[in-house]
Amino acid sequence: MSRINGRDYIYLVWKCHSTRQRYIVGELSQNGKYEFKYRISDVNKAIQNGFEPLIAFPNINEVYESNDVFPAFSSRLPDKRRRDIREILAKYKLERYDTFELLKKSGGKLPTDSLEFIDPIFLDEANIVREFYIAGVKFHDYCNKKNKTINFELKINENLILEKDPSNEYDEYAIKVKNKENKVIGFIPIFFSKPIGKAIDSKRKITCVVIAKECSNTCAECIKVRLNIL
């Protein structure tokens, strides 16, 4: 659970269409009431690359409050009246329909925009577990872009190695993901790289294992891992 001072948080991430760079543009939190606000430094960078403030939240300096999850976000989720809603909840390991938790688990992604919610990492948590796809797979050793095949096998439950990459031009906190043969598979997503880098520096025990793999046309969701920080 991503909680600070009694509030639960999820972050809103926007991906630039041209550069594929991701920005944490806002944060949605709840503790009785719901609150949404933009992360000013990040959203200003995103605006420079084409991001436009959401219609429901036009002022980037305002803190928006509501007694319920904002319709602009709840509308990104499947209707609770759907016949298959139990199957959907089971997929995300939810026992009941909880809008905030479903946004956190599913990401609330739509095919019509480049927004998604992520469950942030706060290092004051004692046992952190996150599941996500490795970023940038198609640009590194694992993927054979010419033949649209793979260059080497990865096994389910295989342990991967995390290595800081301070010279990276796209992310000052970048972390490479490698196999035991030192081949680069990709990178930790940019929205997780800073806290994971801090966890590496503080010598916390970190494991990163493969839990799913599949070749896709975009390589955006090829290698899924489970990260555990103790």
Side-chain angles (χ1 to χ4, degrees), residues 2-19:
S2 303
R3 178 184 288 263
I4 296 179
N5 297 326
R7 298 194 69 85
D8 296 334
Y9 285 83
I10 49 178
Y11 287 170
L12 182 64
V13 174
W14 174 75
K15 181 167 69 174
C16 175
H17 178 73
S18 59
T19 66

Side-chain angles (χ1 to χ4, degrees), residues 3-189:
R3 178 184 288 263
I4 296 179
N5 297 326
R7 298 194 69 85
D8 296 334
Y9 285 83
I10 49 178
Y11 287 170
L12 182 64
V13 174
W14 174 75
K15 181 167 69 174
C16 175
H17 178 73
S18 59
T19 66
R20 317 306 291 173
Q21 185 84 352
R22 286 182 167 90
Y23 301 86
I24 302 173
V25 294
E27 55 186 47
L28 175 66
S29 63
Q30 66 94 9
N31 181 12
K33 283 190 174 183
Y34 295 89
E35 181 180 288
F36 176 76
K37 61 182 178 181
Y38 290 100
R39 292 167 61 94
I40 300 301
S41 60
D42 291 319
V43 80
N44 280 329
K45 292 177 185 176
I47 288 171
Q48 292 173 10
N49 285 278
F51 175 77
E52 296 181 0
L54 306 182
I55 294 174
F57 313 102
N59 186 346
I60 65 170
N61 296 301
E62 186 172 339
V63 177
Y64 297 88
E65 294 184 342
S66 174
N67 289 321
D68 301 301
V69 174
F70 302 93
F73 300 143
S74 59
S75 63
R76 306 178 71 87
L77 296 174
D79 193 309
K80 64 177 65 176
R81 295 168 295 185
R82 283 179 52 157
R83 290 185 178 181
D84 62 346
I85 194 61
R86 289 189 178 182
E87 288 80 1
I88 293 172
L89 295 179
K91 175 182 177 181
Y92 297 111
K93 300 177 182 177
L94 294 174
E95 295 182 359
R96 61 184 181 85
Y97 195 103
D98 182 310
T99 306
F100 189 84
E101 288 299 315
L102 192 51
L103 279 172
K104 180 188 293 187
K105 298 280 189 179
S106 70
K109 292 188 286 186
L110 296 176
T112 53
D113 61 32
S114 299
L115 297 169
E116 67 174 305
F117 281 98
I118 63 107
D119 186 6
I121 292 175
F122 298 147
L123 291 177
D124 56 355
E125 299 175 61
N127 183 13
I128 301 166
V129 180
R130 297 291 185 274
E131 295 181 0
F132 53 85
Y133 289 97
I134 296 175
V137 172
K138 68 178 180 180
F139 300 111
H140 300 285
D141 300 337
Y142 178 77
C143 182
N144 187 322
K145 294 180 288 296
K146 275 190 176 181
N147 303 324
K148 295 183 179 180
T149 57
I150 59 174
N151 292 322
F152 56 89
E153 284 292 336
L154 285 173
K155 297 179 181 179
I156 300 299
N157 294 323
E158 180 174 344
N159 282 288
L160 302 178
I161 298 166
L162 305 184
E163 180 183 292
K164 295 179 70 175
D165 182 22
S167 63
N168 189 287
E169 61 179 306
Y170 301 105
D171 177 12
E172 62 181 311
Y173 305 105
I175 299 174
K176 292 178 183 177
V177 182
K178 306 165 76 172
N179 71 355
K180 61 184 178 181
E181 279 79 34
N182 213 37
K183 293 179 178 178
V184 178
I185 300 162
F187 280 77
I188 292 293

